[in-house]
């Protein structure tokens, strides 16, 4: 337990994936952020990062979508579990500039999905020598009311479909994917958003495919194992 510190523990109300083994989870708790190798490519064209349980699930689903349509696009998945006023990581182990560049790269675009206000992450970036314009930070914008869980993500542009659209367009701008193809894919997933919105109005819940999604490595598991699925592929 910590001494002379205030600890805030925030927990969700729903069953969520277990992404890491206990050993890897301990490593991330110690560092405060980690590249998730099982969901990453070497020499990435794009970094997709998340902080928070629901944003993490949406980011992982977005990576799955992008890799399904653009298998040659190289994506790095970064997960952040600790933030401080002086940088990413824990108070005992704040990420310095070298580690920051190693994790987020020093020149690739980053789509960062956050469970709080985007300005929080923007303020932390001031601690680093970084071109903040390459960071597309998504988070809570105080938009939404009594609605479905996924629709709250849509209204705040933190849903898997919003993230996939942003990724397709970024890959199109960078020439990784032909621009016309990127825009076509973006339009498909804008249609998915519109389809789910219409379904909510008619049924009061999200489309079944939203809650049914699992990381590719967990597909095909029996029901008991799928309930305890985690994202590792090794």
């Amino acid at each position: 337990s910590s001494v002379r510190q205030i600890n805030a523990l925030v927990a969700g109300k729903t069953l969520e994936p277990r992404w890491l083994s206990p050993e890897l989870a301990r490593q991330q708790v110690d560092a405060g952020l980690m590249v998730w190798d099982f969901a990453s490519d070497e020499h990435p064209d794009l970094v997709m990062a998340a902080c928070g349980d629901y944003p993490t699930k949406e980011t992982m689903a977005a990576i799955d979508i992008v890799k399904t349509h653009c298998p040659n696009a190289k994506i790095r998945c970064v997960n952040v579990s600790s933030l401080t006023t002086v940088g990413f990581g824990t108070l005992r182990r704040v990420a310095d500039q070298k580690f920051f560049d190693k994790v987020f790269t020093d020149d690739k675009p980053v789509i960062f999905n956050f469970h709080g206000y985007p300005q929080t992450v923007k303020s932390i970036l001031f601690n680093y020598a970084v071109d903040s314009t390459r960071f597309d930070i998504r988070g809570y914008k105080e938009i939404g009311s009594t609605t479905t869980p996924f629709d709250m993500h849509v209204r705040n542009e933190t849903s898997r479909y919003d993230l996939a659209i942003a990724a397709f367009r970024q890959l199109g701008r960078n020439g990784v994917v032909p621009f016309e193809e990127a825009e076509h894919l973006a339009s498909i997933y804008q249609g998915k958003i519109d389809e789910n919105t219409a379904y909510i109005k008619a049924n009061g819940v999200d489309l079944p495919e939203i809650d049914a999604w699992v990381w590719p490595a967990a597909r095909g598991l029996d029901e008991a194992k799928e309930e305890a699925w985690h994202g590792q592929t090794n």
Side-chain angles (χ1 to χ4, degrees):
S1 62
S2 59
V3 178
R4 300 179 64 84
Q5 293 182 16
I6 297 173
N7 297 278
L9 180 63
V10 181
K13 301 176 182 178
T14 60
L15 292 174
E16 294 300 317
R18 289 187 290 174
W19 300 103
L20 302 177
S21 66
E23 179 183 354
L24 287 175
R26 281 191 289 269
Q27 291 178 22
Q28 177 156 339
V29 168
D30 184 51
L33 68 163
M34 177 186 286
V35 175
W36 282 6
D37 290 332
F38 68 86
S40 298
D41 301 303
E42 294 184 358
H43 311 298
D45 303 306
L46 172 68
V47 177
M48 298 189 73
C51 181
D53 50 1
Y54 301 145
T56 293
K57 185 175 181 179
E58 293 305 304
T59 296
M60 297 297 280
I63 291 173
D64 183 24
I65 290 170
V66 175
K67 294 294 288 184
T68 296
H69 292 286
C70 307
N72 293 326
K74 297 179 179 179
I75 297 175
R76 172 176 293 176
C77 175
V78 174
N79 192 260
V80 178
S81 52
S82 295
L83 300 169
T84 75
T85 56
V86 293
F88 292 96
T90 65
L91 287 172
R92 293 177 297 176
R93 192 175 174 183
V94 176
D96 59 15
Q97 185 70 49
K98 183 177 180 180
F99 187 62
F100 178 91
D101 290 341
K102 180 180 179 181
V103 171
F104 291 104
T105 78
D106 59 2
D107 62 347
K108 301 303 180 185
V110 180
I111 300 173
F112 197 115
N113 208 23
F114 186 52
H115 63 171
Y117 294 106
Q119 188 58 43
T120 300
V121 177
K122 292 178 182 179
S123 65
I124 293 173
L125 288 176
F126 285 128
N127 294 290
Y128 300 97
V130 60
D131 177 6
S132 60
T133 60
R134 69 183 178 96
F135 277 75
D136 176 2
I137 303 171
R138 308 296 181 97
Y140 183 56
K141 300 187 294 184
E142 296 188 345
I143 297 176
S145 182
T146 303
T147 185
T148 67
F150 187 75
D151 192 47
M152 281 294 291
H153 283 296
V154 169
R155 295 185 185 206
N156 289 279
E157 299 182 315
T158 59
S159 79
R160 65 195 67 176
Y161 296 151
D162 287 289
L163 299 174
I165 289 169
F168 289 137
R169 287 181 167 154
Q170 186 63 64
L171 294 169
R173 284 193 293 270
N174 290 356
V176 178
V177 176
F179 182 80
E180 294 79 7
E181 179 183 348
E183 287 301 310
H184 175 65
L185 290 168
S187 69
I188 289 175
Y189 282 91
Q190 181 58 56
K192 288 277 192 179
I193 291 174
D194 297 339
E195 179 186 2
N196 190 67
T197 300
Y199 188 88
I200 292 169
K201 291 178 180 178
N203 300 278
V205 294
D206 293 312
L207 281 163
E209 66 190 60
I210 302 297
D211 289 333
W213 177 85
V214 295
W215 182 249
R219 292 170 190 164
L221 298 178
D222 61 48
E223 184 176 351
K225 289 182 179 179
E226 188 167 308
E227 287 182 356
W229 72 276
H230 56 80
Q232 293 188 101
T233 58
N234 51 18

